[in-house]
Amino acid sequence: MFTSGATESINLVIQGSNKIDNTSKIKPRIGVLPVEHKAVLDTCYALAKKGLAEIINLQVDSKGRLDINHLEEVCTSGLSLLFGGGHQKGQRSGTLNVPGIVGLGEACRLRLLEMEKDENAIALLRDKLQSLLLDKIPGLTVNGDINSRLSGNLHISIPDVPNSAIIARVRHQLAISTGAACSSGVETPSHVLTAMGLGGR
């Protein structure tokens, strides 16, 4: 199904699946990771608030990885799996964005040809930057699972240094941010970092 973007897709999948499950009159139990995208969390909690679903908060470790033992415990008592809400026909009205769909297909084709080389090169640059930062900044911590992450991902904490000060010094040299774009302007700690036990950093 082609939609306008991630938020609409997330809502269609979760709410569409919930609608299908509710034909049995049994309230579905949906397992949600606390490190999920905010659109996933907001949609699931909205269903729970309406009494349409029971939300089970799954657990993650300090690196943001799913606690498999907890998942197994939850699954033994029954847990809904989310499926798509059906075909596009009848699910999302309106004329399809044909140029966008064709463009996506071509972009995927080109990315497949270049991805392995690009990702390796980006990872090398990331690792070089990480080594330099660890060598030059006392107390710096690399957050998350350093063995299972995107090539361009480097998430760090520097004790006793305000985020704003760091951004001001390096924003013209690095693509850097203190949070996700979907949470811009929000003063509360990141829900992802909080789930990892890093909310106070």
Side-chain angles (χ1 to χ4, degrees):
M1 181 180 293
F2 289 94
T3 67
S4 63
T7 298
E8 183 185 350
S9 298
I10 288 168
N11 274 268
L12 279 172
V13 169
I14 295 175
Q15 296 195 65
S17 299
N18 180 262
K19 184 177 180 181
I20 292 173
D21 287 343
N22 273 343
T23 58
S24 65
K25 305 300 181 182
I26 298 175
K27 183 186 295 186
R29 304 174 76 234
I30 303 175
V32 178
L33 286 170
V35 295
E36 286 283 4
H37 190 284
K38 196 170 185 299
V40 173
L41 298 177
D42 287 351
T43 304
C44 288
Y45 292 138
L47 289 175
K49 188 175 182 180
K50 294 177 182 178
L52 299 176
E54 178 186 355
I55 304 304
I56 307 299
N57 292 302
L58 303 176
Q59 297 175 2
V60 297
D61 63 16
S62 61
K63 297 185 183 298
R65 299 173 300 195
L66 173 64
D67 184 330
I68 298 298
N69 292 328
H70 181 244
L71 176 63
E72 290 178 346
E73 292 175 11
V74 171
C75 286
T76 58
S77 59
L79 188 67
S80 293
L81 297 177
L82 296 181
F83 300 95
H87 299 292
Q88 180 133 343
K89 185 176 181 181
Q91 296 295 319
R92 185 177 187 270
S93 59
T95 303
L96 294 178
N97 177 13
V98 176
I101 294 170
V102 173
L104 174 63
E106 178 64 7
C108 290
R109 185 187 70 81
L110 293 173
R111 189 64 184 135
L112 183 62
L113 297 174
E114 305 165 351
M115 185 163 53
E116 184 175 358
K117 180 180 178 181
D118 284 352
E119 293 300 302
N120 289 336
I122 293 170
L124 286 174
L125 292 173
R126 189 255 339 265
D127 292 344
K128 181 178 180 180
L129 175 60
Q130 177 177 301
S131 296
L132 287 171
L133 292 174
L134 287 169
D135 183 57
K136 300 294 184 180
I137 304 176
L140 181 142
T141 301
V142 178
N143 301 318
D145 187 345
I146 63 173
N147 297 314
S148 299
R149 55 178 170 169
L150 296 175
S151 298
N153 173 270
L154 176 57
H155 193 282
I156 61 172
S157 295
I158 303 176
D160 305 319
V161 180
N163 290 337
S164 57
I166 299 173
I167 295 290
R169 290 289 296 272
V170 301
R171 63 184 175 187
H172 299 301
Q173 300 166 287
L174 293 174
I176 186 171
S177 172
T178 58
C182 57
S183 299
S184 59
V186 177
E187 297 296 330
T188 56
S190 161
H191 68 277
V192 174
L193 296 182
T194 299
M196 295 167 61
L198 304 174
R201 296 192 182 185

